[in-house]
Amino acid sequence: MPITNSIYAFPIDGKFRRVHHGPILANWKKAADAKGFAIVGRAVSHEHLVLGCKTCGSPTPKRVSVVRDHNPECPHCIRTRRENAAAGYGATLLGPDPKGKRRYGLYELPCGHADRRQHTRVETAAAGGHKLSCGICLRARHAREAEAQGWQLICNADRKHASYRRYEHACGHRQNVTIANMRHGDVDCASCGESWTSKPSKIYLLRFQLPESPVIKLGYSSNPEYRVRQVQHDPLVTKGAVIRDIPMTTGHQAVRIEKALHSFIAASWPDLIVPSKNFEQHLRTVSEIYDHRAEAFISDLLDAVVDGWDPTSDMPPF
Ligand SMILES: [Zn+2]
Ligand SMILES: [Zn+2]
Ligand SMILES: [Zn+2]
């Protein structure tokens, strides 16, 4: 039976379609009804039906075989669902994927950048499943972190090593480094030899709450605040804080002084050392943890170091 020249008076998925006169079989009606649609008529070709969505009222053309044998979906309801999910995340669905993939769409992210995203990932993000990070913002952050260390972010390292990036040092040499190591300045240039051991560092004193009593940690790092976060399993439980830190001109000097301080404390007040079984469930470290009563004593030792005491010598600190 041919398609007619009469046209439906309303758009069907955005287009005005020609009416196809032909019977609508009872088993089609039954199948459509069971799947949430009413059959409005026939259009496009003898193989197509016009369905009316019982949820949103919008018409959509579907093949007879899809209505009969599969689960037809309403594109208007899907679009609304995706728009709502995006809005719940502070994003906006701008339109279909510019690369034409059905599972993807073009979204404006909460930061204002527009990017392709898988629809299902936006919906999980909106449901609190995971974060919808922006590649442009992330790259800008990695570039800033590299600049702070005297390096320039060039590009991704390669497909196999997702955590690596390619960076260029101030001397012009390029090498691959993990994002995390670059962030914390744990990077040695293979060409000019500038390394973390030759850059400024700090000796720190940290405090953590444990179920029995507070403890303190003595150590070195170029970034004690980061070290506090890194060492805790659950910051809400251990409530870590930097008590103080003192500057060291190089990482190499920091290692040397810190090791000597641990030896000095172990020789003078061995009972202040907290056994690892008391903290290993709460802190990601194996040693260097002292009873909180040691705080004033160790702080005095740090004052002595600032005043020029070298704990690697045989000289007394006070
Ligand atoms: Zn619908
Ligand atoms: Zn962004
Ligand atoms: Zn270099």
Side-chain angles (χ1 to χ4, degrees):
M1 207 168 289
I3 191 104
T4 67
N5 280 330
S6 43
I7 303 232
Y8 279 99
F10 48 86
I12 299 167
D13 286 1
K15 284 187 193 153
F16 286 90
R17 314 273 190 174
R18 287 197 287 175
V19 175
H20 184 282
H21 283 308
I24 293 169
L25 304 188
N27 66 324
W28 299 349
K29 281 188 194 163
K30 210 173 140 199
D33 188 64
K35 291 158 188 174
F37 297 93
I39 298 177
V40 175
R42 299 177 65 173
V44 185
S45 82
H46 69 283
E47 289 179 346
H48 287 84
L49 299 172
V50 179
L51 301 184
C53 172
K54 289 201 267 185
T55 303
C56 70
S58 305
T60 183
K62 291 283 176 216
R63 282 178 181 277
V64 171
S65 58
V66 172
V67 176
R68 203 180 47 210
D69 308 328
H70 302 282
N71 237 341
E73 286 189 294
C74 169
H76 308 280
C77 283
I78 293 175
R79 166 111 195 175
T80 307
R81 195 183 72 211
R82 288 172 180 163
E83 282 172 351
N84 289 342
Y89 197 82
T92 312
L93 176 58
L94 298 176
D97 179 27
K99 291 190 180 173
K101 288 206 171 165
R102 278 183 52 229
R103 294 173 191 281
Y104 285 75
L106 185 66
Y107 286 89
E108 184 181 303
L109 301 171
C111 60
H113 290 125
D115 203 0
R116 303 169 63 226
R117 281 293 180 279
Q118 218 173 330
H119 295 302
T120 50
R121 287 191 70 83
V122 176
E123 290 180 46
T124 356
H130 59 81
K131 285 194 81 178
L132 210 58
S133 66
C134 167
I136 300 167
C137 286
L138 196 64
R139 193 186 189 285
R141 200 181 86 202
H142 293 158
R144 278 198 306 276
E145 288 167 353
E147 276 165 30
Q149 306 296 342
W151 292 74
Q152 193 193 348
L153 174 63
I154 303 298
C155 58
N156 288 359
D158 64 48
R159 283 174 166 274
K160 267 180 276 175
H161 299 102
S163 59
Y164 280 79
R165 293 291 180 272
R166 191 151 189 82
Y167 299 93
E168 184 175 297
H169 192 221
C171 72
H173 169 73
R174 290 184 178 192
Q175 72 190 59
N176 295 346
V177 179
T178 69
I179 294 164
N181 281 351
M182 181 56 75
R183 181 176 302 147
H184 305 118
D186 288 344
V187 48
D188 298 349
C189 176
S191 175
C192 71
E194 188 188 87
S195 73
W196 67 269
T197 54
S198 60
K199 288 207 268 183
S201 187
K202 289 167 182 170
I203 291 185
Y204 61 68
L205 203 51
L206 312 180
R207 183 190 294 114
F208 298 98
Q209 301 294 329
L210 292 187
E212 304 79 43
S213 69
V215 294
I216 57 173
K217 172 168 167 47
L218 172 70
Y220 74 92
S221 166
S222 60
N223 188 343
E225 279 75 22
Y226 170 73
R227 191 79 184 106
V228 171
R229 294 200 296 277
Q230 191 189 41
V231 83
Q232 302 178 97
H233 285 294
D234 184 352
L236 294 176
V237 173
T238 42
K239 302 187 175 80
V242 179
I243 299 170
R244 64 178 293 194
D245 56 50
I246 59 170
M248 293 282 120
T249 45
T250 64
H252 183 74
Q253 187 200 14
V255 180
R256 198 175 61 87
I257 300 284
E258 186 242 18
K259 275 198 163 49
L261 286 172
H262 287 302
S263 307
F264 186 87
I265 298 164
S268 321
W269 280 277
D271 55 323
L272 292 176
I273 299 170
V274 176
S276 61
K277 65 175 167 46
N278 292 15
F279 60 80
E280 63 194 1
Q281 286 186 334
H282 301 281
L283 300 176
R284 287 189 190 91
T285 184
V286 287
S287 62
E288 308 167 352
I289 297 292
Y290 299 102
D291 189 281
H292 68 105
R293 290 168 296 155
E295 181 179 326
F297 164 60
I298 297 178
S299 198
D300 287 347
L301 292 182
L302 295 186
D303 285 337
V305 170
V306 172
D307 289 343
W309 174 57
D310 183 348
T312 62
S313 71
D314 290 334
M315 299 292 289
F318 314 116

